[in-house]
Amino acid sequence: MMPRFFIDAPLTLPAGTVFAVPATVAQHIQVLRLRPGDTVTLFDGNGGETPAVLHEVGKRSASVTLGAHLAREAEPPYRITLIQGIAGGDKMDWLLEKAVELGIAACQPVQTERSVVRLQGDRAARREAHWLALARAACEQCGRNRVPEIHPILSWREWIASQSITPTTAPTLLLSPRGETRLSTWVDARQTEIRAHGVRLLIGPEGGLSPDEEERAIALGAIPLTLGPRVLRTETAGLAALAALHATLGEF
């Protein structure tokens, strides 16, 4: 795969235009030791991509000659939202990067009772910006042309208050030791619904959701499901569920 770079601006210029890339992209081009005449791919996160040829490469700047926009996509045919209890250390970064590679359309970070990390104010804003940059970098690497939405952090109470159930609401699947139905069994029986409305995966942090949090989620319509007899870590559970979803729905 040729080098791919995210451009935080609409790529609507006609083919043949010489376009100066942002400084962060120019720096990346320098790190990769690319030279004029090398081919790269640019995308703005809104779908499709634009092949380009490096025109000039300086120490702190670079420009490209744009090619024709290509309507290439690498998205699953159904929308998946990851609702993730914030994990500590590097776990949140790792699982978010892999979830983007596996095709999530959005991530809603939630501060739960057992979340080790507490993020508020400027610290929360910096972490959200960091996660968005991480999602963009993951799209560069995996070939996606649409950057997932990274929603602002919500407390558990705020997330519960934001929920409303309608006939077109994507079902919320709660991975829980209390679940008796296997995820693959439930998904296989509701493929049409998932393809039409998408699905949401609700994953607790280290230690899982508290009993009260699970009860409130279930009362709002969340469906408790299991991934089998083993208890998976928070950084494993969502990724395993995403892989199971794709396998059951024929994406893999």
Side-chain angles (χ1 to χ4, degrees):
M1 181 186 294
M2 70 180 66
R4 290 168 42 84
F5 302 106
F6 171 78
I7 302 296
D8 193 12
L11 289 170
T12 57
L13 299 171
T17 300
V18 176
F19 174 78
V21 301
T24 52
V25 174
Q27 182 180 21
H28 198 176
I29 288 171
Q30 282 282 352
V31 169
L32 294 176
R33 298 185 178 180
L34 300 178
R35 296 291 181 262
D38 288 342
T39 302
V40 299
T41 299
L42 308 180
F43 67 102
D44 61 13
N46 296 313
E49 62 189 22
T50 302
V53 176
L54 284 176
H55 180 70
E56 291 183 342
V57 179
K59 290 185 177 180
R60 295 181 179 82
S61 63
S63 62
V64 299
T65 302
L66 299 177
H69 181 78
L70 304 175
R72 190 192 73 82
E73 297 293 353
E75 302 301 301
Y78 36 82
R79 180 180 175 87
I80 304 175
T81 298
L82 177 64
I83 305 162
Q84 176 68 48
I86 296 174
D90 295 330
K91 294 176 183 177
M92 191 72 180
D93 287 4
W94 189 87
L95 70 87
L96 179 58
E97 177 186 75
K98 304 311 174 190
V100 171
E101 292 177 20
L102 286 167
I104 63 167
C107 178
Q108 174 60 71
V110 180
Q111 194 88 62
T112 67
E113 182 178 325
R114 294 174 178 170
S115 292
V116 176
V117 177
R118 298 291 166 180
L119 300 171
Q120 295 179 337
D122 290 343
R123 191 178 177 207
R126 288 194 299 270
R127 189 64 62 88
E128 291 159 6
H130 169 72
W131 290 334
L132 179 58
L134 188 151
R136 290 169 171 173
C139 287
E140 289 179 339
Q141 184 276 327
C142 74
R144 292 184 66 179
N145 288 324
R146 294 185 183 272
V147 177
E149 302 169 81
I150 308 298
H151 296 300
I153 296 168
L154 295 179
S155 69
W156 179 258
R157 180 176 297 179
E158 290 170 331
W159 181 75
I160 286 290
S162 72
Q163 300 308 293
S164 60
I165 304 299
T166 71
T168 59
T169 300
T172 300
L173 310 184
L174 166 62
L175 298 187
S176 167
R178 298 169 57 181
E180 297 180 356
T181 303
R182 289 182 183 270
L183 173 73
S184 58
T185 301
W186 191 92
V187 171
D188 189 48
R190 291 166 173 79
Q191 292 197 33
T192 301
E193 178 184 358
I194 292 172
R195 293 181 188 281
H197 305 307
V199 67
R200 303 189 297 178
L201 289 175
L202 174 55
I203 313 293
E206 299 93 334
L209 298 176
S210 70
D212 179 67
E213 288 170 334
E214 285 204 356
E215 289 172 8
R216 294 194 68 183
I218 292 169
L220 281 172
I223 302 154
L225 298 174
T226 179
L227 286 172
R230 294 165 298 282
V231 177
L232 303 182
R233 295 176 182 270
T234 185
E235 68 270 28
T236 307
L239 304 182
L242 286 167
L245 271 166
H246 290 325
T248 304
L249 294 168
E251 175 74 0
F252 281 179

